[in-house]
Amino acid sequence: MSIAKTFLGLLESGPRHGYDLKRTYDERFGQDRPLAYGQVYATLSRLLRHGFVEVDGIEPGGGPERKRYAITEAGVADVDLWLAQPERPEPYLQSTLYAKVVLALLTERPASEVLDVQRAAHLDLMRQLTRRKASGDLADQLVCDHALFHLEADLRWLELTAARLDQLRGEVVA
């Protein structure tokens, strides 16, 4: 996810301090991977340098001065452009998991164990996400659904690959 574009979108509702942006980002988008403060201020610095934000005010604080950032017209236009562009679908044509299965076959290791271990990891994560979804708000439920649907697709691939291991072995070892 583009942190910079997300910050710009958050700034459209009004000027904010870096701390406020971090807190809102972490609450809405970064529950599993909160932003580091250094990343927040490096991103704001870059946005400032590119003319997408401006300093709207400086307030004294207990530590360093607190800058309040506001989005510029160029920043609004950048968010408009970003929202209008579709995300590139990720087809996963060369996944690490596929490489592990092929290498297990090539080195005469049990590829079925690679698939079994991965299946167990997927199912464990799916249980965790299902619990989180049950106790979460709508935004959290949607994030969990997205992840669960991807994991379900991975599980289908694992089952299909397990059913075709002998055929795959014949092709890669030949």
Side-chain angles (χ1 to χ4, degrees), residues 125-126 129 142-154:
L125 181 55
M126 289 177 82
L129 289 169
L142 290 170
V143 168
C144 289
D145 281 338
H146 186 261
L148 286 165
F149 292 149
H150 282 273
L151 290 168
E152 287 174 6
D154 287 349

Side-chain angles (χ1 to χ4, degrees), residues 7-8 10-18 20-21 53-57 59 66-71:
F7 278 7
L8 289 174
L10 292 173
L11 285 169
E12 282 201 53
S13 65
R16 297 177 185 228
H17 297 98
D20 297 329
L21 285 168
V53 298
E54 60 191 9
V55 176
D56 184 60
E59 300 168 4
R66 293 178 36 148
K67 293 180 185 175
R68 191 174 52 246
Y69 296 89
I71 192 168

Side-chain angles (χ1 to χ4, degrees), residues 80-147:
D80 285 340
L81 182 64
W82 181 60
L83 291 175
Q85 295 173 341
E87 289 298 306
R88 182 174 181 251
E90 294 294 334
Y92 306 109
L93 292 177
Q94 284 296 332
S95 75
T96 303
L97 183 54
Y98 172 76
K100 285 183 171 186
V101 169
V102 169
L103 286 172
L105 292 171
L106 287 172
T107 60
E108 299 182 13
R109 288 182 171 94
S112 60
E113 288 182 17
V114 172
L115 295 171
D116 290 344
V117 167
Q118 192 62 51
R119 184 181 303 104
H122 270 62
L123 290 171
D124 183 53
L125 181 55
M126 289 177 82
R127 283 188 288 275
Q128 292 173 36
L129 289 169
T130 301
R131 283 191 299 272
R132 176 176 163 183
K133 179 181 165 182
S135 63
D137 61 9
L138 180 58
D140 209 32
Q141 291 171 14
L142 290 170
V143 168
C144 289
D145 281 338
H146 186 261

Side-chain angles (χ1 to χ4, degrees), residues 1 3 6-7 10 21-36 39 132 139-140 143:
M1 175 171 10
I3 296 167
T6 306
F7 278 7
L10 292 173
L21 285 168
K22 178 193 175 352
R23 189 186 77 248
T24 303
Y25 181 95
D26 289 350
E27 286 172 1
R28 295 276 182 207
F29 311 108
Q31 289 181 347
D32 295 322
R33 294 177 62 197
L35 294 176
Q39 192 174 13
R132 176 176 163 183
D140 209 32
V143 168

